[in-house]
Amino acid sequence: AQSVTQPDIHITVSEGASLELRCNYSYGATPYLFWYVQSPGQGLQLLLKYFSGDTLVQGIKGFEAEFKRSQSSFNLRKPSVHWSDAAEYFCAVGVPTGTASKLTFGTGTRLQVTL
Amino acid sequence: EPEVTQTPSHQVTQMGQEVILRCVPISNHLYFYWYRQILGQKVEFLVSFYNNEISEKSEIFDDQFSVERPDGSNFTLKIRSTKLEDSAMYFCASSGRRGYSGELFFGEGSRLTVL
């Protein structure tokens, strides 16, 4: 069965600094990969997704992620963090043979942004 | 912007009581989901629903759980006899398209506390 690991439970960065959130997945073939963000009191919002093709994926709010098959990773990056990016970030994997959007999520990384 | 709405935002109940969590998906969506997140753990898939029947369900979704779409707008999750371990945040989601080609839109969640 597929699984997702987000090694960092909590990360603090200064506003304007760069950000990288780590995500490693376990699956025998190329999965579908997603990053979601949850701001306080909000639902989960899709930041970006990877299905196939270009391994560098651009998302909303200036985020990008790179799929690295050799490392089984799909790390999320942002060159310059804004205070409004403080939230919880979830990496998720989906199995291509599935019919439902039955995603397997990581435990999340809470991002704190200092001014 | 259309959104998925969930009620109640927080419910406290006694063990053994029945609970109904309600969701209003985005109006033209056809695929509906429930996920849950136990505090400190991963977001987990519970069930998907399409064309008035369950498409897929996880091992968590046992006979104590049921879903229905009683009218054209609501999508409900019922837990017949709650247990302590049912305490969690329950997320409803909807999608306009089948499988992973369609983005999942999540609600803000309903926090269930079982005493």
Side-chain angles (χ1 to χ4, degrees):
Chain A
Q2 66 274 18
S3 66
V4 177
T5 301
Q6 292 181 250
D8 305 306
I9 296 172
H10 189 191
I11 282 183
T12 300
V13 299
S14 300
E15 189 175 39
S18 64
L19 171 71
E20 182 168 30
L21 302 182
R22 296 182 291 166
C23 172
N24 292 96
Y25 68 90
S26 173
Y27 180 63
T30 302
Y32 296 158
L33 296 162
F34 306 80
W35 274 99
Y36 282 84
V37 61
Q38 184 182 27
S39 299
Q42 305 292 314
L44 295 163
Q45 181 184 23
L46 181 66
L47 283 176
L48 46 77
K49 60 187 177 186
Y50 172 79
F51 286 176
S52 64
D54 193 347
T55 56
L56 185 62
V57 180
Q58 301 297 320
I60 62 171
K61 304 185 182 188
F63 285 93
E64 66 178 26
E66 186 170 12
F67 169 60
K68 292 186 177 180
R69 184 191 306 275
S70 61
Q71 298 175 19
S72 297
S73 69
F74 188 56
N75 294 348
L76 182 71
R77 302 193 295 243
K78 186 169 184 178
S80 177
V81 168
H82 187 262
W83 64 266
S84 61
D85 293 324
E88 183 119 26
Y89 291 81
F90 294 93
C91 182
V93 63
V95 175
T97 55
T99 55
S101 289
K102 189 170 61 178
L103 301 176
T104 298
F105 284 84
T107 48
T109 298
R110 182 167 296 279
L111 173 66
Q112 183 175 356
V113 180
T114 57
L115 300 176
Chain B
E1 184 178 326
E3 59 182 20
V4 175
T5 56
Q6 290 185 239
T7 55
S9 57
H10 188 191
Q11 181 158 357
V12 181
T13 189
Q14 296 292 323
M15 191 169 52
Q17 295 296 305
E18 176 183 283
V19 161
I20 297 176
L21 304 179
R22 291 182 168 79
C23 169
V24 179
I26 294 173
S27 63
N28 61 347
H29 281 186
L30 301 174
Y31 301 88
F32 313 111
Y33 305 84
W34 283 101
Y35 284 75
R36 80 170 186 190
Q37 184 182 30
I38 295 172
L39 188 63
Q41 297 185 25
K42 304 180 181 189
V43 177
E44 304 170 289
F45 169 81
L46 289 179
V47 66
S48 62
F49 191 86
Y50 169 69
N51 200 26
N52 282 320
E53 61 183 22
I54 290 174
S55 300
E56 288 188 59
K57 60 183 180 180
S58 72
E59 299 137 2
I60 303 167
F61 195 87
D62 61 22
D63 293 342
Q64 291 297 315
F65 291 90
S66 63
V67 289
E68 65 174 0
R69 191 159 157 81
D71 53 40
S73 59
N74 290 288
F75 178 52
T76 62
L77 174 69
K78 182 193 291 187
I79 309 174
R80 286 192 185 80
S81 178
T82 51
K83 307 184 198 64
L84 295 176
E85 55 264 36
D86 293 327
S87 295
M89 180 74 90
Y90 289 81
F91 292 103
C92 174
S94 70
S95 172
R97 293 166 64 183
R98 186 170 182 266
Y100 300 107
S101 59
E103 176 183 344
L104 284 185
F105 290 82
F106 284 86
E108 293 179 7
S110 293
R111 181 169 296 285
L112 175 64
T113 302
V114 182
L115 302 177

